[in-house]
Amino acid sequence: PLGDVRQECRGLARAAIRLDAPAMETLLEQAISDYGIVTAWEEVMVPTLHAVGRKWESSNDRYVEVEHMLSWQVSTVLRRAATASTGRPMPPVLLACVPSETHTLPLEALTAALSERGLATRMLGGAVPAEALDAAVRRCGPAAVVLWSQARSTASHALARHVAGVTFGLRGARTAPLVLLAGPGWAGRAPESGMLRPRGLREALDSLSRVYGEPVPEPERRSAAGPEPLGTDRPPMSPTAAGRP
């Protein structure tokens, strides 16, 4: 049961149970076209991923293939939506999972949503080594860095402090990126100077828009489902679908 959520969730869940990949792709693309990335993520993708995850957990490990295929289709449409060029020069937002963290779907949703607003992004993906992250920050000169941690065991506050302290640019006019601590792994500690901890996809997107001086859209009407998007303590999928061993 999906509760009081959009009708699209039920159709998507039925297609997932049938392993009907073309139908899933069509429904997901239609949701993005009709509602935009943020609403499609919060009110269609996440509730359906949660429902399929609960189905897997309550059925003695059955339906793992359903969750994997649904996660793949969600990732496919989000990456496709994030391919648009901004058409204007600007320092990018750099997005990465911290070392040992493999959950990437929430970052893919944020990447697509930033592209939808015309903001430049560089996505590094899952389990990025600290040295590689440091090198990418110095080479890209990003306006902001988003670090995703799904569990407290992967959240490295020392790494976040290091990234927030990396400076680049001309001598005498050096700057450092804003660091967004995204995901439930960062819970329990207040963000330090130069860092923010957004509570969800919408808040992360608005915070990053302000970095560029972009106008923040009026809040959209949200459904009664009470979606739990980017930075909540409830994971958007089970560890199996995220590729954990």
Side-chain angles (χ1 to χ4, degrees):
L2 288 167
D4 184 18
V5 297
R6 292 185 182 273
Q7 182 64 32
E8 287 87 339
C9 295
R10 295 182 176 85
L12 183 58
R14 287 193 292 266
I17 293 294
R18 297 194 309 269
L19 298 181
D20 189 342
M24 281 188 276
E25 186 171 343
T26 298
L27 289 166
L28 288 165
E29 289 184 337
Q30 189 63 51
I32 290 175
S33 175
D34 289 346
Y35 308 117
I37 295 292
V38 175
T39 299
W41 170 254
E42 290 180 343
E43 301 190 23
V44 178
M45 299 177 191
V46 169
T48 309
L49 285 164
H50 282 164
V52 171
R54 288 193 298 269
K55 186 77 170 176
W56 167 71
E57 291 174 351
S58 64
S59 60
N60 295 322
D61 288 345
R62 293 177 60 204
Y63 301 106
V64 172
E65 72 284 357
V66 172
E67 192 171 18
H68 275 264
M69 185 172 289
L70 176 60
S71 298
W72 176 260
Q73 293 302 325
V74 169
S75 177
T76 296
V77 298
L78 288 174
R79 293 190 190 195
R80 188 176 296 147
T83 58
S85 172
T86 63
R88 51 183 171 147
M90 63 174 64
V93 177
L94 187 66
L95 303 98
C97 290
V98 296
S100 301
E101 180 57 74
T102 57
H103 289 77
T104 61
L105 278 185
L107 283 187
E108 291 171 34
L110 179 56
T111 301
L114 288 166
S115 295
E116 191 175 52
R117 290 196 183 180
L119 302 179
T121 61
R122 300 291 186 274
M123 171 64 148
L124 297 182
V128 179
E131 298 81 3
L133 179 61
D134 177 80
V137 172
R138 295 180 188 277
R139 288 166 65 185
C140 290
V145 178
V146 183
L147 299 176
W148 177 268
S149 172
Q150 184 74 19
R152 293 190 184 185
S153 59
T154 65
S156 172
H157 291 272
L159 177 60
R161 283 194 299 272
H162 174 79
V163 172
V166 173
T167 59
F168 40 79
L170 298 175
R171 190 180 299 276
R174 291 186 176 273
T175 185
L178 174 68
V179 174
L180 269 68
L181 306 177
W186 303 104
R189 185 187 299 191
E192 300 178 26
S193 176
M195 305 181 197
L196 295 175
R197 184 175 182 268
R199 293 171 294 180
L201 173 59
R202 217 173 279 265
E203 185 175 324
L205 184 59
D206 289 348
S207 296
L208 292 169
S209 295
R210 292 188 184 98
V211 169
Y212 292 94
E214 296 288 329
V216 176
E218 290 294 322
E220 299 176 24
R221 183 176 180 270
R222 300 176 68 174
S223 76
E228 299 166 332
L230 185 66
T232 63
D233 292 339
R234 185 178 185 182
M237 62 187 133
S238 78
T240 301
R244 282 188 180 276

